[in-house]
Amino acid sequence: MNRRKSLSALTATLTAALAAGLFGLPQAASAAEVTLTYAFFAPAKTFPARQMTHWAEQLAKRTNGKVDVKTFPGGTLLGAKEMYDGVTKGVADIGLGSPSYDPGRFPLTSGVALPVGFTNATQASRTLWALTKEFKPKEYEGFKVIAMFTTEPGFIQTKTAVRNAADLAGMKLRAAGTGVPVLKALGAAPIGMPMPEVPQSVQTGVINGTMTSREVLQDFKLAESLKFVTDYPTVVVAFAAVMDQKKWDKLPADVKKVIEELAEEMPGWTGNYHDNENVGAAMAWAAKEHKLQVVSLAADERARWDGKLKSMEDEWVKEMSGKGLPAAAYLKRMRELRDQFAKK
Ligand code: DTR
């Protein structure tokens, strides 16, 4: 072969490879073997939705484009209340909902929202995931749980400052379902409602504030009307992304393997983003743009609040044991995992 010929052959090969690469890319994306729809009830910029996007990207990447995940944030496919039933009915292949919104349906998971003193979302998320793997709660029967995580412990965020029990007495405050007993014990008048309904309810005066993680001040623009955060960490809110079990069973083995690998990473990934970027940035923004004030509780007041929440664990164990659930063992293990994951 003369030199000229071999060069042109090489050029032809390169050109062909380049063309295949260029035109192959979009083809590869649309030629994915598996397409999954993934629904979430709150807007795309919120931290659970960021988890969804990250998960979708990672799944596509780690399967070399074999799986294409179409995400539907903002309740465009399923809202908070119909999330889990919607997955069973096949409206979405994957649904990210909050078991904390429906403690009656997810009784064992409601245990992570007891005031056990989680200090951040990473610790609570890891604990929740480990507990779920160990106890395999019946409440997820029919589902494959593909990701779990929590918020940081919630804080009381209000229109008027809450410095003591008298300020809180009878105040209409919103929480996720699992937060309702906490607010009740502290003397407020709690209302359970999904997060996306909060901004309007604050606007119309249905509620005077909310108890939840603090990034909502920015991500739902709540700092425009909620100017005070009481510096008293309460309880976390749990999230679980699920697939219908029958749909899961039909997935190719290599795809299942990547999804299971991602399930191990999601508590840490999401917790880290929420704890170390999301909440801090929101607090700084709210202070700068809306003069948010953080209200401290006096030490004796804090001790009284702790005292009011003390009996919640025992009451929960009693109630859940009555339903035949291994609540005492769950709580005991939760404390152990909490301490284990407290070490960074
Ligand atoms: N804190 C939970 C849930 C929550 C916190 N941040 C977000 C963002 C998007 C959806 C839900 C949440 C709550 O109180 O509802």
mmCIF file of all heavy atoms in Angstrom, residues 148-195:
data_model
loop_
_atom_site.group_PDB
_atom_site.id
_atom_site.type_symbol
_atom_site.label_atom_id
_atom_site.label_comp_id
_atom_site.label_asym_id
_atom_site.label_seq_id
_atom_site.Cartn_x
_atom_site.Cartn_y
_atom_site.Cartn_z
ATOM 1 N N MET A 148 -34.145 7.060 49.006
ATOM 2 C CA MET A 148 -34.725 7.655 50.217
ATOM 3 C C MET A 148 -33.806 8.736 50.758
ATOM 4 O O MET A 148 -32.586 8.632 50.636
ATOM 5 C CB MET A 148 -34.889 6.591 51.303
ATOM 6 C CG MET A 148 -36.072 5.705 51.110
ATOM 7 S SD MET A 148 -36.369 4.744 52.598
ATOM 8 C CE MET A 148 -38.140 4.890 52.693
ATOM 9 N N PHE A 149 -34.420 9.734 51.337
ATOM 10 C CA PHE A 149 -33.654 10.799 51.999
ATOM 11 C C PHE A 149 -34.629 11.613 52.833
ATOM 12 O O PHE A 149 -35.848 11.382 52.782
ATOM 13 C CB PHE A 149 -32.927 11.687 50.967
ATOM 14 C CG PHE A 149 -33.830 12.264 49.910
ATOM 15 C CD1 PHE A 149 -34.454 13.483 50.089
ATOM 16 C CD2 PHE A 149 -34.080 11.565 48.732
ATOM 17 C CE1 PHE A 149 -35.296 14.009 49.119
ATOM 18 C CE2 PHE A 149 -34.926 12.090 47.755
ATOM 19 C CZ PHE A 149 -35.529 13.307 47.945
ATOM 20 N N THR A 150 -34.095 12.547 53.603
ATOM 21 C CA THR A 150 -34.962 13.398 54.437
ATOM 22 C C THR A 150 -34.543 14.859 54.288
ATOM 23 O O THR A 150 -33.492 15.162 53.724
ATOM 24 C CB THR A 150 -34.840 13.053 55.941
ATOM 25 O OG1 THR A 150 -33.586 13.561 56.427
ATOM 26 C CG2 THR A 150 -34.925 11.565 56.214
ATOM 27 N N THR A 151 -35.350 15.734 54.858
ATOM 28 C CA THR A 151 -34.954 17.136 55.022
ATOM 29 C C THR A 151 -34.054 17.219 56.252
ATOM 30 O O THR A 151 -33.917 16.246 56.998
ATOM 31 C CB THR A 151 -36.176 18.022 55.310
ATOM 32 O OG1 THR A 151 -36.756 17.587 56.559
ATOM 33 C CG2 THR A 151 -37.212 17.933 54.208
ATOM 34 N N GLU A 152 -33.499 18.377 56.490
ATOM 35 C CA GLU A 152 -32.898 18.651 57.795
ATOM 36 C C GLU A 152 -34.059 18.704 58.803
ATOM 37 O O GLU A 152 -35.225 18.768 58.394
ATOM 38 C CB GLU A 152 -32.167 19.994 57.754
ATOM 39 C CG GLU A 152 -33.122 21.182 57.565
ATOM 40 C CD GLU A 152 -32.500 22.537 57.881
ATOM 41 O OE1 GLU A 152 -31.315 22.597 58.226
ATOM 42 O OE2 GLU A 152 -33.232 23.545 57.802
ATOM 43 N N PRO A 153 -33.759 18.681 60.113
ATOM 44 C CA PRO A 153 -34.854 18.856 61.074
ATOM 45 C C PRO A 153 -35.543 20.199 60.810
ATOM 46 O O PRO A 153 -34.869 21.198 60.547
ATOM 47 C CB PRO A 153 -34.137 18.867 62.424
ATOM 48 C CG PRO A 153 -32.848 18.165 62.172
ATOM 49 C CD PRO A 153 -32.464 18.480 60.763
ATOM 50 N N GLY A 154 -36.865 20.205 60.867
ATOM 51 C CA GLY A 154 -37.621 21.414 60.538
ATOM 52 C C GLY A 154 -37.501 22.506 61.594
ATOM 53 O O GLY A 154 -37.276 22.219 62.781
ATOM 54 N N PHE A 155 -37.689 23.733 61.162
ATOM 55 C CA PHE A 155 -37.680 24.885 62.068
ATOM 56 C C PHE A 155 -39.005 25.625 61.906
ATOM 57 O O PHE A 155 -39.591 25.643 60.812
ATOM 58 C CB PHE A 155 -36.530 25.838 61.716
ATOM 59 C CG PHE A 155 -35.168 25.311 62.085
ATOM 60 C CD1 PHE A 155 -34.554 24.343 61.296
ATOM 61 C CD2 PHE A 155 -34.501 25.763 63.224
ATOM 62 C CE1 PHE A 155 -33.293 23.842 61.636
ATOM 63 C CE2 PHE A 155 -33.254 25.268 63.563
ATOM 64 C CZ PHE A 155 -32.645 24.305 62.773
ATOM 65 N N ILE A 156 -39.451 26.266 62.970
ATOM 66 C CA ILE A 156 -40.671 27.065 62.915
ATOM 67 C C ILE A 156 -40.344 28.394 62.228
ATOM 68 O O ILE A 156 -39.434 29.119 62.659
ATOM 69 C CB ILE A 156 -41.234 27.266 64.339
ATOM 70 C CG1 ILE A 156 -41.748 25.906 64.871
ATOM 71 C CG2 ILE A 156 -42.342 28.318 64.359
ATOM 72 C CD1 ILE A 156 -42.136 25.908 66.329
ATOM 73 N N GLN A 157 -41.049 28.662 61.129
ATOM 74 C CA GLN A 157 -40.805 29.859 60.307
ATOM 75 C C GLN A 157 -42.117 30.637 60.244
ATOM 76 O O GLN A 157 -43.133 30.106 59.798
ATOM 77 C CB GLN A 157 -40.372 29.418 58.894
ATOM 78 C CG GLN A 157 -39.180 28.457 58.940
ATOM 79 C CD GLN A 157 -38.893 27.749 57.621
ATOM 80 O OE1 GLN A 157 -39.045 28.334 56.560
ATOM 81 N NE2 GLN A 157 -38.463 26.499 57.698
ATOM 82 N N THR A 158 -42.084 31.864 60.719
ATOM 83 C CA THR A 158 -43.351 32.567 60.972
ATOM 84 C C THR A 158 -43.367 34.034 60.534
ATOM 85 O O THR A 158 -42.331 34.631 60.300
ATOM 86 C CB THR A 158 -43.641 32.531 62.499
ATOM 87 O OG1 THR A 158 -42.439 32.881 63.198
ATOM 88 C CG2 THR A 158 -44.105 31.170 62.946
ATOM 89 N N LYS A 159 -44.591 34.574 60.467
ATOM 90 C CA LYS A 159 -44.765 35.994 60.132
ATOM 91 C C LYS A 159 -44.364 36.872 61.313
ATOM 92 O O LYS A 159 -43.823 37.952 61.137
ATOM 93 C CB LYS A 159 -46.253 36.261 59.827
ATOM 94 C CG LYS A 159 -46.691 35.812 58.455
ATOM 95 C CD LYS A 159 -48.148 36.243 58.231
ATOM 96 C CE LYS A 159 -48.643 35.782 56.880
ATOM 97 N NZ LYS A 159 -50.091 35.991 56.707
ATOM 98 N N THR A 160 -44.724 36.410 62.523
ATOM 99 C CA THR A 160 -44.362 37.164 63.732
ATOM 100 C C THR A 160 -43.436 36.296 64.580
ATOM 101 O O THR A 160 -43.527 35.062 64.540
ATOM 102 C CB THR A 160 -45.615 37.531 64.555
ATOM 103 O OG1 THR A 160 -46.338 36.318 64.815
ATOM 104 C CG2 THR A 160 -46.523 38.490 63.800
ATOM 105 N N ALA A 161 -42.563 36.928 65.333
ATOM 106 C CA ALA A 161 -41.528 36.191 66.067
ATOM 107 C C ALA A 161 -42.110 35.229 67.105
ATOM 108 O O ALA A 161 -43.052 35.573 67.827
ATOM 109 C CB ALA A 161 -40.595 37.177 66.754
ATOM 110 N N VAL A 162 -41.555 34.025 67.147
ATOM 111 C CA VAL A 162 -41.926 33.056 68.188
ATOM 112 C C VAL A 162 -40.729 32.897 69.118
ATOM 113 O O VAL A 162 -39.728 32.275 68.767
ATOM 114 C CB VAL A 162 -42.326 31.695 67.565
ATOM 115 C CG1 VAL A 162 -42.497 30.639 68.647
ATOM 116 C CG2 VAL A 162 -43.611 31.828 66.749
ATOM 117 N N ARG A 163 -40.842 33.536 70.307
ATOM 118 C CA ARG A 163 -39.736 33.497 71.267
ATOM 119 C C ARG A 163 -40.006 32.567 72.444
ATOM 120 O O ARG A 163 -39.132 32.231 73.211
ATOM 121 C CB ARG A 163 -39.489 34.896 71.851
ATOM 122 C CG ARG A 163 -39.084 35.898 70.831
ATOM 123 C CD ARG A 163 -38.920 37.292 71.421
ATOM 124 N NE ARG A 163 -38.985 38.261 70.354
ATOM 125 C CZ ARG A 163 -38.001 38.467 69.474
ATOM 126 N NH1 ARG A 163 -36.885 37.802 69.579
ATOM 127 N NH2 ARG A 163 -38.152 39.341 68.499
ATOM 128 N N ASN A 164 -41.292 32.207 72.592
ATOM 129 C CA ASN A 164 -41.671 31.371 73.744
ATOM 130 C C ASN A 164 -43.019 30.709 73.471
ATOM 131 O O ASN A 164 -43.657 30.961 72.441
ATOM 132 C CB ASN A 164 -41.750 32.237 75.019
ATOM 133 C CG ASN A 164 -42.574 33.486 74.767
ATOM 134 O OD1 ASN A 164 -43.672 33.392 74.188
ATOM 135 N ND2 ASN A 164 -42.071 34.638 75.156
ATOM 136 N N ALA A 165 -43.426 29.876 74.425
ATOM 137 C CA ALA A 165 -44.664 29.108 74.264
ATOM 138 C C ALA A 165 -45.876 30.026 74.106
ATOM 139 O O ALA A 165 -46.808 29.707 73.361
ATOM 140 C CB ALA A 165 -44.855 28.175 75.462
ATOM 141 N N ALA A 166 -45.841 31.172 74.764
ATOM 142 C CA ALA A 166 -46.987 32.090 74.680
ATOM 143 C C ALA A 166 -47.140 32.629 73.253
ATOM 144 O O ALA A 166 -48.258 32.756 72.746
ATOM 145 C CB ALA A 166 -46.804 33.239 75.671
ATOM 146 N N ASP A 167 -46.013 32.925 72.598
ATOM 147 C CA ASP A 167 -46.070 33.401 71.205
ATOM 148 C C ASP A 167 -46.653 32.332 70.287
ATOM 149 O O ASP A 167 -47.295 32.629 69.278
ATOM 150 C CB ASP A 167 -44.656 33.733 70.687
ATOM 151 C CG ASP A 167 -44.074 34.983 71.331
ATOM 152 O OD1 ASP A 167 -44.858 35.788 71.857
ATOM 153 O OD2 ASP A 167 -42.837 35.134 71.293
ATOM 154 N N LEU A 168 -46.394 31.085 70.631
ATOM 155 C CA LEU A 168 -46.782 29.969 69.760
ATOM 156 C C LEU A 168 -48.224 29.516 70.019
ATOM 157 O O LEU A 168 -48.877 28.951 69.126
ATOM 158 C CB LEU A 168 -45.823 28.798 70.029
ATOM 159 C CG LEU A 168 -45.765 27.662 69.031
ATOM 160 C CD1 LEU A 168 -45.364 28.170 67.656
ATOM 161 C CD2 LEU A 168 -44.752 26.604 69.502
ATOM 162 N N ALA A 169 -48.722 29.799 71.221
ATOM 163 C CA ALA A 169 -50.023 29.265 71.645
ATOM 164 C C ALA A 169 -51.128 29.578 70.634
ATOM 165 O O ALA A 169 -51.381 30.744 70.311
ATOM 166 C CB ALA A 169 -50.390 29.826 73.018
ATOM 167 N N GLY A 170 -51.733 28.531 70.117
ATOM 168 C CA GLY A 170 -52.875 28.682 69.210
ATOM 169 C C GLY A 170 -52.517 29.178 67.817
ATOM 170 O O GLY A 170 -53.405 29.413 66.993
ATOM 171 N N MET A 171 -51.234 29.342 67.525
ATOM 172 C CA MET A 171 -50.840 29.874 66.205
ATOM 173 C C MET A 171 -51.089 28.828 65.118
ATOM 174 O O MET A 171 -50.748 27.666 65.282
ATOM 175 C CB MET A 171 -49.362 30.270 66.229
ATOM 176 C CG MET A 171 -48.939 31.058 65.020
ATOM 177 S SD MET A 171 -47.162 31.453 65.079
ATOM 178 C CE MET A 171 -47.177 33.099 65.762
ATOM 179 N N LYS A 172 -51.705 29.283 64.021
ATOM 180 C CA LYS A 172 -52.005 28.352 62.930
ATOM 181 C C LYS A 172 -50.727 28.123 62.105
ATOM 182 O O LYS A 172 -50.278 29.011 61.388
ATOM 183 C CB LYS A 172 -53.112 28.914 62.026
ATOM 184 C CG LYS A 172 -54.491 28.817 62.656
ATOM 185 C CD LYS A 172 -55.553 29.381 61.740
ATOM 186 C CE LYS A 172 -55.376 30.891 61.626
ATOM 187 N NZ LYS A 172 -56.263 31.534 60.665
ATOM 188 N N LEU A 173 -50.182 26.942 62.268
ATOM 189 C CA LEU A 173 -48.935 26.614 61.585
ATOM 190 C C LEU A 173 -49.097 25.341 60.793
ATOM 191 O O LEU A 173 -49.779 24.414 61.223
ATOM 192 C CB LEU A 173 -47.799 26.426 62.600
ATOM 193 C CG LEU A 173 -47.306 27.673 63.328
ATOM 194 C CD1 LEU A 173 -46.181 27.287 64.273
ATOM 195 C CD2 LEU A 173 -46.837 28.734 62.346
ATOM 196 N N ARG A 174 -48.426 25.299 59.687
ATOM 197 C CA ARG A 174 -48.531 24.128 58.824
ATOM 198 C C ARG A 174 -47.292 23.225 59.005
ATOM 199 O O ARG A 174 -46.188 23.704 59.270
ATOM 200 C CB ARG A 174 -48.649 24.611 57.380
ATOM 201 C CG ARG A 174 -48.496 23.569 56.361
ATOM 202 C CD ARG A 174 -47.036 23.427 55.991
ATOM 203 N NE ARG A 174 -46.865 22.214 55.217
ATOM 204 C CZ ARG A 174 -45.708 21.618 55.014
ATOM 205 N NH1 ARG A 174 -44.611 22.097 55.513
ATOM 206 N NH2 ARG A 174 -45.657 20.524 54.314
ATOM 207 N N ALA A 175 -47.523 21.929 58.880
ATOM 208 C CA ALA A 175 -46.410 20.980 58.878
ATOM 209 C C ALA A 175 -46.784 19.812 57.980
ATOM 210 O O ALA A 175 -47.945 19.657 57.600
ATOM 211 C CB ALA A 175 -46.134 20.469 60.290
ATOM 212 N N ALA A 176 -45.783 18.997 57.636
ATOM 213 C CA ALA A 176 -46.090 17.710 57.009
ATOM 214 C C ALA A 176 -46.859 16.900 58.049
ATOM 215 O O ALA A 176 -46.787 17.207 59.250
ATOM 216 C CB ALA A 176 -44.793 17.007 56.621
ATOM 217 N N GLY A 177 -47.589 15.873 57.644
ATOM 218 C CA GLY A 177 -48.417 15.095 58.571
ATOM 219 C C GLY A 177 -47.689 14.673 59.835
ATOM 220 O O GLY A 177 -48.214 14.794 60.941
ATOM 221 N N THR A 178 -46.445 14.208 59.672
ATOM 222 C CA THR A 178 -45.696 13.730 60.833
ATOM 223 C C THR A 178 -45.270 14.860 61.773
ATOM 224 O O THR A 178 -44.914 14.598 62.917
ATOM 225 C CB THR A 178 -44.425 12.961 60.394
ATOM 226 O OG1 THR A 178 -43.740 13.748 59.416
ATOM 227 C CG2 THR A 178 -44.765 11.598 59.818
ATOM 228 N N GLY A 179 -45.308 16.093 61.300
ATOM 229 C CA GLY A 179 -44.922 17.218 62.161
ATOM 230 C C GLY A 179 -46.080 17.738 62.999
ATOM 231 O O GLY A 179 -45.870 18.481 63.960
ATOM 232 N N VAL A 180 -47.286 17.333 62.637
ATOM 233 C CA VAL A 180 -48.482 17.834 63.327
ATOM 234 C C VAL A 180 -48.452 17.557 64.836
ATOM 235 O O VAL A 180 -48.672 18.471 65.641
ATOM 236 C CB VAL A 180 -49.765 17.292 62.641
ATOM 237 C CG1 VAL A 180 -50.987 17.483 63.523
ATOM 238 C CG2 VAL A 180 -49.956 17.979 61.286
ATOM 239 N N PRO A 181 -48.142 16.323 65.279
ATOM 240 C CA PRO A 181 -48.108 16.079 66.728
ATOM 241 C C PRO A 181 -47.051 16.909 67.465
ATOM 242 O O PRO A 181 -47.235 17.246 68.636
ATOM 243 C CB PRO A 181 -47.773 14.578 66.858
ATOM 244 C CG PRO A 181 -47.867 14.000 65.502
ATOM 245 C CD PRO A 181 -47.909 15.095 64.494
ATOM 246 N N VAL A 182 -45.971 17.249 66.772
ATOM 247 C CA VAL A 182 -44.926 18.067 67.400
ATOM 248 C C VAL A 182 -45.468 19.468 67.673
ATOM 249 O O VAL A 182 -45.347 20.001 68.783
ATOM 250 C CB VAL A 182 -43.668 18.156 66.486
ATOM 251 C CG1 VAL A 182 -42.635 19.113 67.069
ATOM 252 C CG2 VAL A 182 -43.078 16.768 66.256
ATOM 253 N N LEU A 183 -46.095 20.045 66.651
ATOM 254 C CA LEU A 183 -46.654 21.397 66.825
ATOM 255 C C LEU A 183 -47.762 21.402 67.870
ATOM 256 O O LEU A 183 -47.901 22.352 68.644
ATOM 257 C CB LEU A 183 -47.181 21.922 65.479
ATOM 258 C CG LEU A 183 -46.103 22.360 64.480
ATOM 259 C CD1 LEU A 183 -46.737 22.715 63.140
ATOM 260 C CD2 LEU A 183 -45.304 23.547 65.012
ATOM 261 N N LYS A 184 -48.535 20.343 67.880
ATOM 262 C CA LYS A 184 -49.627 20.228 68.863
ATOM 263 C C LYS A 184 -49.047 20.196 70.276
ATOM 264 O O LYS A 184 -49.494 20.919 71.165
ATOM 265 C CB LYS A 184 -50.434 18.950 68.577
ATOM 266 C CG LYS A 184 -51.826 18.990 69.177
ATOM 267 C CD LYS A 184 -52.621 17.741 68.840
ATOM 268 C CE LYS A 184 -53.344 17.879 67.515
ATOM 269 N NZ LYS A 184 -54.030 16.655 67.088
ATOM 270 N N ALA A 185 -48.008 19.370 70.455
ATOM 271 C CA ALA A 185 -47.383 19.258 71.777
ATOM 272 C C ALA A 185 -46.789 20.587 72.225
ATOM 273 O O ALA A 185 -46.765 20.906 73.413
ATOM 274 C CB ALA A 185 -46.290 18.182 71.752
ATOM 275 N N LEU A 186 -46.340 21.394 71.267
ATOM 276 C CA LEU A 186 -45.745 22.693 71.620
ATOM 277 C C LEU A 186 -46.810 23.775 71.831
ATOM 278 O O LEU A 186 -46.488 24.908 72.172
ATOM 279 C CB LEU A 186 -44.758 23.135 70.534
ATOM 280 C CG LEU A 186 -43.486 22.283 70.379
ATOM 281 C CD1 LEU A 186 -42.652 22.776 69.205
ATOM 282 C CD2 LEU A 186 -42.646 22.273 71.659
ATOM 283 N N GLY A 187 -48.066 23.425 71.573
ATOM 284 C CA GLY A 187 -49.160 24.357 71.872
ATOM 285 C C GLY A 187 -49.686 25.148 70.688
ATOM 286 O O GLY A 187 -50.533 26.030 70.857
ATOM 287 N N ALA A 188 -49.163 24.886 69.473
ATOM 288 C CA ALA A 188 -49.666 25.603 68.290
ATOM 289 C C ALA A 188 -50.943 24.933 67.784
ATOM 290 O O ALA A 188 -51.363 23.899 68.314
ATOM 291 C CB ALA A 188 -48.602 25.598 67.203
ATOM 292 N N ALA A 189 -51.562 25.544 66.771
ATOM 293 C CA ALA A 189 -52.740 24.940 66.131
ATOM 294 C C ALA A 189 -52.300 24.442 64.750
ATOM 295 O O ALA A 189 -52.311 25.195 63.783
ATOM 296 C CB ALA A 189 -53.855 25.968 66.010
ATOM 297 N N PRO A 190 -51.864 23.171 64.679
ATOM 298 C CA PRO A 190 -51.255 22.693 63.431
ATOM 299 C C PRO A 190 -52.246 22.283 62.357
ATOM 300 O O PRO A 190 -53.359 21.848 62.641
ATOM 301 C CB PRO A 190 -50.460 21.470 63.888
ATOM 302 C CG PRO A 190 -51.115 21.008 65.138
ATOM 303 C CD PRO A 190 -51.816 22.178 65.761
ATOM 304 N N ILE A 191 -51.802 22.458 61.126
ATOM 305 C CA ILE A 191 -52.560 22.023 59.957
ATOM 306 C C ILE A 191 -51.592 21.238 59.088
ATOM 307 O O ILE A 191 -50.505 21.727 58.769
ATOM 308 C CB ILE A 191 -53.073 23.244 59.139
ATOM 309 C CG1 ILE A 191 -53.902 24.177 60.014
ATOM 310 C CG2 ILE A 191 -53.857 22.789 57.909
ATOM 311 C CD1 ILE A 191 -54.252 25.510 59.355
ATOM 312 N N GLY A 192 -51.981 20.022 58.688
ATOM 313 C CA GLY A 192 -51.123 19.244 57.783
ATOM 314 C C GLY A 192 -51.462 19.639 56.357
ATOM 315 O O GLY A 192 -52.628 19.719 55.994
ATOM 316 N N MET A 193 -50.442 19.937 55.564
ATOM 317 C CA MET A 193 -50.705 20.238 54.146
ATOM 318 C C MET A 193 -49.414 20.065 53.357
ATOM 319 O O MET A 193 -48.327 20.278 53.898
ATOM 320 C CB MET A 193 -51.319 21.643 53.987
ATOM 321 C CG MET A 193 -50.400 22.734 53.684
ATOM 322 S SD MET A 193 -51.096 24.400 53.440
ATOM 323 C CE MET A 193 -52.354 24.666 54.627
ATOM 324 N N PRO A 194 -49.522 19.637 52.086
ATOM 325 C CA PRO A 194 -48.310 19.485 51.283
ATOM 326 C C PRO A 194 -47.611 20.821 51.034
ATOM 327 O O PRO A 194 -48.277 21.867 50.982
ATOM 328 C CB PRO A 194 -48.815 18.897 49.961
ATOM 329 C CG PRO A 194 -50.155 18.329 50.279
ATOM 330 C CD PRO A 194 -50.712 19.183 51.377
ATOM 331 N N MET A 195 -46.322 20.741 50.882
ATOM 332 C CA MET A 195 -45.487 21.935 50.731
ATOM 333 C C MET A 195 -45.946 22.891 49.615
ATOM 334 O O MET A 195 -45.974 24.115 49.831
ATOM 335 C CB MET A 195 -44.043 21.470 50.481
ATOM 336 C CG MET A 195 -42.996 22.536 50.632
ATOM 337 S SD MET A 195 -43.006 23.270 52.261
ATOM 338 C CE MET A 195 -42.797 24.975 51.795
#
